[in-house]
Amino acid sequence: MIKAIFFDWFNTLARFDPPRQELHSQAFQEFGIKLSPKQLFPGLLIADKNWFEENIKSKVEERSPQEQAELGIRYEATILAEAGVSAPKETLAKVLKRVQQLYEGMTFVLFDDVLSTLKTLKQQNFILGSLTNAPQDMNPICHKLGLEPYLDFVVTSQEVGADKPKPPIFLVALERAGVKASEAVHVGDQYKIDVVGARGVGIIPILIDRYDLYPEVSDCPRIHSLRCVTSLVLVTGREI
């Protein structure tokens, strides 16, 4: 029987505001590349996926400044490539620097399906937690966004000293929830980080695929809205 449900943070519970595609569009236009936020969004998602997978190999923030810059330039090139555009490496380096400046003013906003879903699950006495690779204290952000009444705890990679998909962050969540791995579900948007990581310690994974990035995935429940979590754990009698 499922007793606890854990949620990834970015692109599961929350996204950046203003939307990153708007900031990338602004940066590209400043250097003569005129693409709308809508045109850039698909490439941004692919670039995210590639970056997260690079981070699994070795933490990006711990690599040399030169390698970090190369990864950043590749990130911007991927965004453009998905829109059918290319740019010189020198231009991409300038865009990357400008994007980093624009990112400094960003905050988080919740997806529309978050609070209603967490409220329903809390009313059913599930233990709820969030597991994130964010390198910061998330409690002030959760307070500001109105998540405190629903989340029993937040576990960050910073406090446990290891990012998902490594086991420690999942094991700490199980300890705080006071449940066995077979009694917990983890919901996240990155297959190699959230699904593989959760399954590696025996937690049941659910992939939230808000933007249809993983149409090929069939080895775990794949949902497009957080509201589907409620039906999966309640309609199935808390068993998935």
Side-chain angles (χ1 to χ4, degrees), residues 143-192:
H143 174 74
K144 182 178 179 181
L145 295 177
L147 290 171
E148 277 188 340
Y150 309 111
L151 292 180
D152 295 290
F153 57 84
V154 178
V155 184
T156 69
S157 59
Q158 183 183 52
E159 66 177 293
V160 302
D163 286 352
K164 294 179 293 178
K166 294 178 181 177
I169 192 168
F170 295 102
L171 296 176
V172 168
L174 290 173
E175 182 181 353
R176 291 194 185 172
V179 300
K180 302 174 184 176
S182 59
E183 298 172 327
V185 165
H186 176 68
V187 185
D189 71 299
Q190 292 292 322
Y191 184 85
K192 290 187 178 180

Side-chain angles (χ1 to χ4, degrees), residues 84-151:
V85 178
S86 62
K89 188 174 180 179
E90 296 76 16
T91 301
L92 294 174
K94 293 176 182 177
V95 169
L96 175 63
K97 184 176 180 180
R98 180 60 177 139
V99 165
Q100 290 170 339
Q101 292 171 344
L102 293 172
Y103 270 24
E104 290 177 3
M106 289 195 306
T107 58
F108 283 109
V109 293
L110 299 177
F111 288 100
D112 292 342
D113 53 7
V114 172
L115 290 179
S116 59
T117 299
L118 296 185
K119 181 178 180 180
T120 298
L121 294 172
K122 199 66 181 174
Q123 289 172 341
Q124 297 296 323
N125 297 317
F126 285 101
I127 301 165
L128 305 180
S130 179
L131 316 185
T132 174
N133 286 348
Q136 64 195 94
D137 180 8
M138 297 301 292
N139 290 310
I141 297 172
C142 289
H143 174 74
K144 182 178 179 181
L145 295 177
L147 290 171
E148 277 188 340
Y150 309 111
L151 292 180

Side-chain angles (χ1 to χ4, degrees), residues 41 45-46 49 189 207-217 222-224:
F41 189 57
L45 296 174
I46 299 299
K49 186 178 176 182
D189 71 299
L207 179 67
I208 180 162
D209 194 8
R210 292 186 182 277
Y211 308 111
D212 207 29
L213 280 177
Y214 296 96
E216 76 285 358
V217 169
R222 183 173 73 99
I223 59 177
H224 297 292

